[in-house]
Amino acid sequence: SLYPAGEDLGWPLLYLYFASAGFTAGAVKGSSLLAFGPLVAFSTALYAFHLAFLLSVGRLLGLSRGELTVASSANIGGPATASSLATAKGLHHLSRPALLVGTVGNALGSLMGLMLCRILS
């Protein structure tokens, strides 16, 4: 099986990628962080609303916490993160639906964004 060899090779390469991405970002000055205050506040409010909506509607529909977290990950992070989360949490039966929902969400979101751009321009 190639799985153990892939694990042994994949993790160090993943860490190397993260290190190189972080290194190229450089140091951020404290004054420039203050300029992003409104964006951080908006993002926090957006994710808080997302969590409240997801948990309340999920409770009404009787969905499990695992299903809700995978759905949330598909909504926010896309198909790759949702499938990875499902696999990491042992919810293997949700891995393929996570890929499908994340991909369809990306396609519909792109289409709606293009339509909105055409309407507004």
Side-chain angles (χ1 to χ4, degrees), residues 42-65:
F42 174 73
S43 298
T44 302
L46 187 68
Y47 288 131
F49 176 78
H50 169 79
L51 179 65
F53 182 80
L54 186 80
L55 292 178
S56 61
V57 172
R59 179 174 289 189
L60 289 174
L61 295 176
L63 298 173
S64 71
R65 183 70 54 105

